Amino acid sequence: MKEDSDKQNIVSQMAWILNYQPTIGQQNIYMGSQQPTETTTADAAAEPQPTEPTTEDAAAEQPQPTSAAEQPLNLFAPKKNLQELLRGAWFAEVRSNARYDAAWTDAFVEALMQSEHGEEIAREWAVKGERSKRTQLKAYVAGLLKDAGVLRGSYDAIAAKIDPNDQKRSFSRYMSQGKRQPYADWVLENAQKI
């Protein structure tokens, strides 16, 4: 406990030192043999006092950090990863028609990311850490392609081809949740047209 309070005291002192902003009245400059002189309030009132910047001025001068919503979205990363997923060897095993080849999957993902849903997908893809939805996004797209008739077989069978190490069937559960996504109607309407 004592170490924690000592550390806290040191941190508090360092913060005070780093944030200390003396005013002009608190600074004294002595040159040579010059003795310090007291300024009277009349002298001080006659001298123009520089104005100190307020916290609003300081905040305006410093660049403001941009929030995640203000940063440009990376549409390339989800597009590339979805295209790589659909180019896997598993896709040829479960596709319903030979016309659904690598060129078709690339065109499909490209059209999806250029649609009005592309930014939403990129926003969800950008989330990192424990709240990351990258696996879910991949599963949603695969599930929607099954629902659209591009892939044949059950969610479990397709998920087993995509990720044979998935013991908990979570990928197939995510695939079944694809129809609840805002872009589900777009995929179901446009998958056959591409």
Side-chain angles (χ1 to χ4, degrees), residues 51-107:
T51 58
E52 291 185 43
T54 64
T55 45
E56 293 172 354
D57 294 338
E61 291 175 12
Q62 295 178 356
Q64 297 294 322
T66 57
S67 68
E70 294 175 5
Q71 293 177 351
L73 288 174
N74 182 358
L75 296 171
F76 178 76
K79 178 179 85 168
K80 178 181 177 282
N81 282 282
L82 288 172
Q83 286 175 336
E84 285 181 15
L85 171 74
L86 298 178
R87 278 191 215 129
W90 67 270
F91 193 85
E93 296 175 26
V94 296
R95 66 185 177 189
S96 62
N97 191 323
R99 79 177 189 98
Y100 302 122
D101 58 0
W104 181 89
T105 59
D106 286 351

Side-chain angles (χ1 to χ4, degrees), residues 101-117:
D101 58 0
W104 181 89
T105 59
D106 286 351
F108 167 76
V109 173
E110 182 76 33
L112 175 62
M113 293 306 293
Q114 287 180 357
S115 74
E116 65 272 11
H117 305 290

Side-chain angles (χ1 to χ4, degrees), residues 1 5 9 12 23 27 38-39 42 46 50 54-55 64 73 77 90 96 102 109 118 121 145 156-157 161 176 191:
M1 292 294 249
S5 65
N9 288 339
S12 297
T23 62
Q27 297 178 3
E38 293 291 323
T39 57
T54 64
T55 45
Q64 297 294 322
L73 288 174
W90 67 270
S96 62
V109 173
I121 292 169
L145 289 176
D156 288 340
K161 297 282 185 183
S176 69

